[in-house]
Amino acid sequence: MAAWGDRLAGVRGVLLDISGVLYDSGEGGGVPIAGSVEAVARLKRSQLKVRFCTNESQKSRGELVALLRRLGFDISQEEVTAPAPATCQVLKERGLRPHLLVHDGVRSEFDQIDQSNPNCVVMADAGESFSYQNMNKAFQTLMELENPVLISLGKGRYYKETSGLMLDVGAYMKALEYACGIEAEVVGKPSPEFFKSALQAMGVEAHQAIMIGDDIVGDVGGAQRCGMRALQVRTGKFRPSDEYHPEVKADGYVDNLAEAVDLLLQHADK
Amino acid sequence: MAAWGDRLAGVRGVLLDISGVLYDSGEGGGVPIAGSVEAVARLKRSQLKVRFCTNESQKSRGELVALLRRLGFDISQEEVTAPAPATCQVLKERGLRPHLLVHDGVRSEFDQIDQSNPNCVVMADAGESFSYQNMNKAFQTLMELENPVLISLGKGRYYKETSGLMLDVGAYMKALEYACGIEAEVVGKPSPEFFKSALQAMGVEAHQAIMIGDDIVGDVGGAQRCGMRALQVRTGKFRPSDEYHPEVKADGYVDNLAEAVDLLLQHADK
């Protein structure tokens, strides 16, 4: 593999995944990953542009940023690209009125959206709210529509909490897709539109940007398909087998965000 | 389409699906479908052999038969091919110790099976027991295995209760398949082994047998792939679009079991 200097040459902007890179969520909110608070601070003091690009869909952006600030991170709501606000944009543009299969924590993001007489289902990482009853309600809503529209905030397979691996929205999305015989529209990583909106907000071209994430498919593969480079961290949901993934090869594997930032500050924008 | 006389010629044995053909399940057990109690009785008085072939996996065979007898059906446990007993056979043959993701009603079928230190997951139509917590436990069990084995009792998309359409085990099977990156083994319809075991128990060859069911894919398509003929009833989960299914064409569509039996008694075994 090429030297780091070649692999990171010309990078001007950095997209950071949040869960599994900055912190591990869990009881009481979560814990920062060792070195990540300082790594974000160093990045932000550098010449590199920084933006946060998350599929977090259990919490509103406000809640998420408040939690990260409590954990010591320098982050503001305006720096975060997240799927719920992007979904509201889609719903408004297309005149869609959602039935929401979501966690109560993210419901407020949809306060301005008409939810009467639903003509689509919007699903997110609902956690404990993925009850049989709630899944059935979403299923029945879709089956009653002539043209069922299912929008999923991300399609992650699972994520890591401090207590262990947890099923993510993608698994439940597959359940509804199969039951209804339809395909969901994904808002969030790895959708190219979502990465592009994050790049646009950062004001950096794809070939000048690098994604840092713990998800080999959603973060690394998705960013690369958009023409970006991507590093995988060995934290969060990382598993050793990811380094031998049959389809996706990261531009580099690093132990954690701190190591990624060390390398970037040494080699990027040269 | 050929006349009924040609389509039903030479039939000597009839496999009957239960839910959606004999009765609709629901509050308090369920209700018989109009004409079905008498239709089963007439079939059993005829020269035709009869066997029940169900994917019911919420209840033990004993419970199911007791319910059907309360509803007026002439049926005994020995006449029923069901996925839980077939699964126990597979588990014993392969030395598998299951973690069970099932409804409490069917748990007794697995009483004789060692469930310590699980090396596979067995899932069935768990209904309300498809909680996020129970799904996660099954997911984590699979992720801890070097060679994860997932056995699913059927792979139905949904079924109809008196209160409406309900998600079936297949939807949740797809969720775990996607989250773990594996493929489940299905015991039950439309697995050919399952149909064959029902034919064997009835003592009739595939080309002499006909399946009657409400599921265009699981019942009709599955039976036809085994060399049987198959009728779809317009009861249970039947939807008008089934008659224009892109891949499966039944040998006939009938309003209900009573009409199917009328036709069989008139034309079969000629």
Side-chain angles (χ1 to χ4, degrees):
Chain A
M1 194 175 254
W4 282 109
D6 294 330
R7 282 184 271 163
L8 301 179
V11 166
R12 291 190 48 233
V14 183
L15 287 184
L16 295 179
D17 179 29
I18 293 180
S19 177
V21 177
L22 268 52
Y23 84 121
D24 282 320
S25 62
E27 284 293 317
V31 292
I33 289 168
S36 286
V37 168
E38 177 57 21
V40 170
R42 287 167 66 208
L43 257 191
K44 293 183 89 170
R45 285 196 303 265
S46 78
Q47 305 262 315
L48 294 167
K49 297 203 177 180
V50 182
R51 190 164 180 89
F52 302 91
C53 184
T54 180
N55 269 9
E56 169 65 53
S57 68
Q58 269 207 7
K59 303 176 186 72
S60 66
R61 267 202 297 193
E63 266 190 276
L64 175 63
V65 164
L67 164 64
L68 291 168
R69 293 179 68 89
R70 278 201 303 279
L71 297 179
F73 288 98
D74 174 8
I75 185 171
S76 68
Q77 226 170 295
E78 295 68 36
E79 297 171 306
V80 177
T81 296
T87 300
C88 289
Q89 193 62 35
V90 170
L91 296 172
K92 281 182 206 155
E93 282 166 12
R94 290 164 53 186
L96 291 171
R97 300 178 306 276
H99 168 82
L100 297 177
L101 176 58
V102 304
H103 195 280
D104 283 340
V106 82
R107 220 167 260 278
S108 62
E109 295 270 20
F110 298 90
D111 277 351
Q112 305 307 313
I113 304 286
D114 180 7
Q115 294 166 37
S116 63
N117 188 22
N119 57 6
C120 76
V121 167
V122 166
M123 68 188 303
D125 172 20
E128 297 287 340
S129 296
F130 278 132
S131 64
Y132 186 62
Q133 200 181 348
N134 288 345
M135 281 289 284
N136 251 323
K137 179 74 189 119
F139 165 64
Q140 290 163 355
T141 302
L142 287 167
M143 291 295 272
E144 279 159 18
L145 296 173
E146 200 177 338
N147 296 304
V149 172
L150 174 61
I151 296 177
S152 182
L153 278 64
K155 60 171 188 178
R157 294 159 59 199
Y158 57 86
Y159 54 90
K160 190 170 172 254
E161 292 224 329
T162 48
S163 58
L165 299 181
M166 309 292 276
L167 286 167
D168 199 357
V169 62
Y172 286 90
M173 176 192 90
K174 289 289 172 187
L176 289 179
E177 283 187 338
Y178 176 72
C180 301
I182 60 173
E183 204 167 316
E185 304 173 28
V186 176
V187 176
K189 300 177 284 186
S191 148
E193 292 78 14
F194 192 72
F195 281 113
K196 281 176 198 158
S197 74
L199 287 172
Q200 200 164 26
M202 187 162 63
V204 167
E205 301 286 322
H207 72 274
Q208 301 170 317
I210 194 161
M211 174 81 210
I212 301 176
D214 65 335
D215 186 324
I216 187 69
V217 173
D219 293 324
V220 175
Q224 288 177 334
R225 269 212 317 283
C226 285
M228 301 168 60
R229 282 165 273 183
L231 304 181
Q232 188 181 17
V233 289
R234 296 191 187 96
T235 55
K237 78 177 78 172
F238 169 84
R239 307 182 111 216
S241 59
D242 291 348
E243 299 194 28
Y244 308 96
H245 192 281
E247 282 147 39
V248 183
K249 179 115 201 99
D251 293 278
Y253 301 88
V254 292
D255 283 344
N256 48 41
L257 180 60
E259 189 188 350
V261 170
D262 281 345
L263 291 163
L264 279 166
L265 296 186
Q266 208 179 330
H267 299 291
D269 207 11
K270 293 273 163 66
Chain B
M1 195 175 255
W4 282 108
D6 293 332
R7 284 185 268 163
L8 302 179
V11 166
R12 291 191 45 234
V14 183
L15 287 184
L16 295 179
D17 181 28
I18 293 180
S19 176
V21 176
L22 269 51
Y23 83 121
D24 283 320
S25 61
E27 284 293 317
V31 291
I33 289 168
S36 286
V37 168
E38 177 56 20
V40 169
R42 288 167 66 208
L43 257 190
K44 293 182 91 170
R45 285 196 302 265
S46 78
Q47 304 261 317
L48 294 167
K49 297 203 179 181
V50 182
R51 191 165 179 87
F52 302 92
C53 184
T54 180
N55 269 10
E56 169 65 53
S57 69
Q58 269 206 7
K59 302 177 188 72
S60 67
R61 267 202 297 192
E63 267 190 275
L64 175 63
V65 164
L67 164 64
L68 290 168
R69 292 178 69 89
R70 279 200 304 278
L71 296 180
F73 289 97
D74 173 9
I75 184 171
S76 69
Q77 226 171 297
E78 296 66 38
E79 297 171 304
V80 177
T81 296
T87 300
C88 289
Q89 194 60 35
V90 170
L91 295 172
K92 280 181 206 155
E93 281 166 15
R94 290 163 54 185
L96 292 170
R97 300 178 305 276
H99 168 81
L100 297 178
L101 175 59
V102 303
H103 195 280
D104 282 341
V106 81
R107 217 168 263 279
S108 62
E109 295 270 21
F110 298 91
D111 276 352
Q112 304 306 314
I113 303 285
D114 180 7
Q115 295 166 37
S116 64
N117 188 23
N119 58 6
C120 76
V121 167
V122 167
M123 68 189 302
D125 173 18
E128 296 287 341
S129 296
F130 278 133
S131 65
Y132 186 63
Q133 200 180 348
N134 288 346
M135 281 290 285
N136 250 324
K137 179 72 188 121
F139 165 64
Q140 290 163 355
T141 302
L142 287 166
M143 291 296 272
E144 279 159 19
L145 297 173
E146 200 176 339
N147 296 305
V149 172
L150 174 61
I151 296 177
S152 182
L153 278 65
K155 60 171 185 176
R157 293 159 61 199
Y158 57 85
Y159 53 91
K160 189 169 171 255
E161 294 224 327
T162 48
S163 58
L165 299 181
M166 309 293 277
L167 286 168
D168 198 358
V169 61
Y172 286 90
M173 176 193 90
K174 289 290 171 185
L176 289 178
E177 284 187 338
Y178 176 72
C180 301
I182 60 173
E183 204 166 317
E185 303 172 29
V186 176
V187 176
K189 301 176 285 187
S191 148
E193 290 79 12
F194 192 71
F195 281 112
K196 281 175 197 157
S197 74
L199 286 172
Q200 202 164 25
M202 188 162 61
V204 166
E205 300 286 325
H207 71 276
Q208 301 170 315
I210 194 160
M211 173 81 210
I212 301 175
D214 65 336
D215 186 326
I216 185 71
V217 173
D219 292 324
V220 176
Q224 288 177 334
R225 270 212 315 283
C226 285
M228 300 168 60
R229 281 165 275 183
L231 304 181
Q232 188 180 18
V233 289
R234 297 191 186 98
T235 55
K237 78 176 78 170
F238 168 83
R239 307 182 110 215
S241 60
D242 290 349
E243 299 193 30
Y244 309 97
H245 193 279
E247 281 147 40
V248 183
K249 179 115 202 97
D251 293 279
Y253 301 89
V254 291
D255 283 344
N256 47 43
L257 180 60
E259 188 188 351
V261 170
D262 281 344
L263 290 164
L264 279 165
L265 296 187
Q266 207 178 331
H267 299 291
D269 208 10
K270 293 272 162 71

